[in-house]
Amino acid sequence: MAPLDRVLSTPFALPLLFLLVAGPTVLLTGWRTPPLDVADEGAHFMRAVQVSQGGLVGTVRLPDGQGGNGLLPHGARRLVDEVGRDPSGPPDRAAEARRHAAGFALGWDAPAPAFFPNTVIYPPLFYLPAAGGILVGRAIGLRPAATLLTARVLQGLVCLLLAALALLVARRGRGLLFGLLALPMGLSLFASCSQDGPMLAISALAAALLGRLTGARLAPPSRASAARDPAPHAGRPSHRPSSSPAAGPSDEGSSVAAVPDPAPNGPISSGPASLGRPVFGPRSSERARSDHAGPGRASLDRALPGPVAWTAGRWGLVGLLLGALGAAKPPCAVLALLPLAALLPRPGGGRRVWWMPVFASLLGVLLSVGWLLFGALPNGTGFTQNGVSPALQAHWLILHPLEAGRVLLRSLRLWGATYVEEMVGVLGWLDVRLWLPAYGLLPAGLVALAWLDWRAGASRNGFRVPSAAAFLFCFLLAVGVLLVFLSLYLAWTPVGDPVVLGVQGRYLLPFAIMATTLLPPATAHCRLEAMAAACFMCGASAVTLAAVFGRWG
């Protein structure tokens, strides 16, 4: 096997490819984009400064009775006020150059009240990488503008590592997950101080873990029960001949007999692996080659880790990640209910430890609701636009229930294409567009990666009617998207307006990432998918850098 083929046929191919190509793209984007020239980065930067000072929860009134969301260095506030440009006006490069030069000369100065009402309500978790970069910058004596660039670098590195870890863990929709993370919009958010970058990376990790856990349909038997019943599958025909490498000498005399091939949607296990440990190594690799290789298609050379056993710790981690997403964006709180889909009947299912997915969902809901009640609502400062009143808007919807559907359909008809473009990438203050054909080519690439994922999973699992769990997944994701529109109609749109204002395509990316768990699990790594992902990554990085350097030189 050629060296390149050897690399492409390992489970580490996609994570390494992402780090090698996306890494330089993120760092160059963060370095070349001027300070505060990313949507809402000024407000996110002030929240990160507050978190770096230990202000985990904001306020609406300072201890001395003054109004403000926190005491921040006056230079940080001046940087946001004087350097941040008005996104509603056309760009003026000469004026921008003067503002940026003045901004890099600003010092930190003494603390003063600062207002950032649209970000003070967010939890501190997703600001920790940027806050760490701010602490580093201040420790080495950098001014606020240079410190902001340092925060971008550290946040970009953390997001890249989390995304690579998600790709390593993922078993469902790996190619599609790779493509969604590699979109120019995501790379731009990684290279900013916005909380949206870490949110995307955490969404990917939560989707990867959830996909691995939902693949393990059978509860792992205890060692005591295994000792009492050394041959639980006695009397069943085995799909594996006795001379198969998967039933080698090491299995002879074991207290756990060799287990036949599982049901298509069941766990992949053999011998002691039936206790819940994932399958690695040449045995599963040989089986993957025999199951997947065929004429006219790329061979699937290395087996991927199988589904993991259900444990309270693993489900608890999923609940924590989903709860963090719901705390950061209330419409994402519905994602905390996704683990409940693991309880529904499914082909190949068996005995289930029902309380573990319930525990994960309960933990996620408690975190989301807890932050909303004790962190967000008490610190809301009445940040509204002219004509906006959530209470009056809710009253209007109650009086006109049928109009809600018309408002949604009208918004999708007018701006549906814009939402897709913003998911792909409209950079800067939503005014830096990519090369025009990229808005057609990159979505087509995502469809191709999703088809390769389906092909890799269906080759073993076959085509099946979607289960009740899949329908519940789709329903919850659709509810989450509807909540995005509803929340912005209440909090951002004038009362009775015929369309929803304020919706941006990047708000929908976490739901698209979670949808990757709907694809069938792949049992082995496909070289064709790795090559397609490499082409997609190189194209996405190229159009990202072309847009950034074309706009800012």
Side-chain angles (χ1 to χ4, degrees):
M1 183 184 295
L4 179 60
D5 289 343
R6 189 177 297 112
V7 171
L8 293 177
S9 61
T10 65
F12 298 96
L14 293 185
L16 288 177
L17 175 64
F18 189 82
L19 290 176
L20 290 176
V21 182
T25 304
V26 168
L27 296 179
L28 286 172
T29 300
W31 166 73
R32 197 65 197 92
T33 304
L36 310 178
D37 260 18
V38 178
D40 297 322
E41 189 177 30
H44 287 294
F45 176 64
M46 288 196 287
R47 177 63 174 141
V49 171
Q50 184 182 47
V51 172
S52 71
Q53 299 178 158
L56 302 183
V57 180
T59 182
V60 294
R61 189 164 296 279
L62 300 175
D64 59 1
Q66 299 183 67
N69 303 128
L71 282 175
L72 302 184
H74 186 56
R77 194 183 72 175
R78 287 186 61 195
L79 178 69
V80 174
D81 293 340
E82 299 176 12
V83 177
R85 68 180 178 87
D86 182 7
S88 61
D92 185 341
R93 297 201 176 192
E96 288 176 1
R98 290 192 298 270
R99 287 200 310 269
H100 296 155
F104 276 96
L106 293 174
W108 287 101
D109 300 331
F115 292 86
F116 40 101
N118 55 335
T119 58
V120 70
I121 60 176
Y122 293 146
L125 175 63
F126 297 117
Y127 290 101
L128 292 179
I134 291 170
L135 289 175
V136 171
R138 298 188 70 174
I140 61 178
L142 297 179
R143 296 176 182 269
T147 299
L148 186 148
L149 299 182
T150 305
R152 285 179 176 178
V153 169
L154 186 57
Q155 174 156 304
L157 292 176
V158 170
C159 292
L160 288 168
L161 291 176
L162 288 174
L165 178 61
L167 292 171
L168 184 62
V169 172
R171 187 169 175 261
R172 294 174 180 265
R174 298 178 80 234
L176 180 59
L177 180 63
F178 180 97
L180 290 170
L181 291 171
L183 288 173
M185 191 74 254
L187 299 180
S188 174
L189 293 173
F190 288 172
S192 72
C193 287
S194 171
Q195 71 158 356
D196 293 334
M199 273 192 66
L200 292 182
I202 291 296
S203 299
L205 185 57
L209 289 171
L210 189 60
R212 288 287 296 276
L213 285 169
T214 54
R217 300 304 302 157
L218 299 177
S222 64
R223 294 183 181 274
S225 63
R228 288 194 304 269
D229 187 11
H233 297 280
R236 291 190 193 176
S238 174
H239 300 289
R240 191 179 293 129
S242 59
S243 60
S244 168
S250 60
D251 291 334
E252 295 179 4
S254 171
S255 61
V256 181
V259 180
D261 282 348
N265 287 323
I268 304 173
S269 57
S270 63
S274 65
L275 294 176
R277 294 190 292 270
V279 178
F280 298 92
R283 294 179 179 178
S284 55
S285 177
E286 288 288 335
R287 212 172 101 197
R289 275 195 288 271
S290 63
D291 286 343
H292 291 274
R297 64 172 297 175
S299 63
L300 305 172
D301 294 307
R302 297 293 179 89
L304 291 171
V308 295
W310 286 14
T311 66
R314 288 167 179 156
W315 277 112
L317 178 57
V318 170
L320 287 174
L321 296 178
L322 296 178
L325 295 174
K329 297 288 186 182
C332 291
V334 71
L335 298 179
L337 301 178
L338 290 178
L340 298 180
L343 299 177
L344 297 180
R346 180 171 132 181
R351 183 171 60 89
R352 295 182 289 273
V353 187
W354 64 268
W355 65 268
M356 291 185 183
V358 173
F359 165 67
S361 290
L362 184 61
L363 181 59
V365 170
L366 288 177
L367 286 175
S368 303
V369 176
W371 177 261
L372 179 66
L373 295 180
F374 300 105
L377 293 181
N379 299 313
T381 56
F383 176 71
T384 59
Q385 302 291 320
N386 292 333
V388 174
S389 173
L392 292 178
Q393 190 77 285
H395 181 68
W396 185 87
L397 286 175
I398 292 173
L399 295 178
H400 307 84
L402 298 180
E403 191 63 25
R406 298 190 186 99
V407 169
L408 176 63
L409 293 176
R410 193 178 297 117
S411 302
L412 293 175
R413 186 177 70 251
L414 292 176
W415 295 322
T418 302
Y419 300 150
V420 175
E421 290 179 354
E422 291 175 348
M423 290 179 69
V424 173
V426 181
L427 313 183
W429 261 106
L430 302 180
D431 59 354
V432 180
R433 297 180 60 82
L434 307 175
W435 179 51
L436 186 58
Y439 292 109
L441 294 175
L442 292 179
L446 291 177
V447 172
L449 290 172
W451 178 77
L452 289 173
D453 286 328
W454 180 86
R455 184 171 178 255
S459 61
R460 175 180 177 88
N461 300 330
F463 177 79
R464 289 180 174 272
V465 176
S467 63
F471 281 114
L472 179 60
F473 246 78
C474 293
F475 173 75
L476 292 176
L477 292 176
V479 169
V481 172
L482 290 177
L483 288 177
V484 171
F485 283 85
L486 177 62
S487 63
L488 289 169
Y489 194 66
L490 294 175
W492 197 261
T493 306
V495 176
D497 205 84
V499 293
V500 183
L501 303 180
V503 178
Q504 298 178 22
R506 58 191 169 103
Y507 299 157
L508 308 179
L509 281 174
F511 301 98
I513 287 174
M514 297 304 300
T516 60
T517 56
L518 291 169
L519 291 167
T523 55
H525 183 72
C526 178
R527 286 183 292 169
L528 178 60
E529 181 180 66
M531 289 186 286
C535 294
F536 186 94
M537 182 80 255
C538 291
S541 296
V543 296
T544 302
L545 293 178
V548 169
F549 281 87
R551 170 64 177 83
W552 292 292

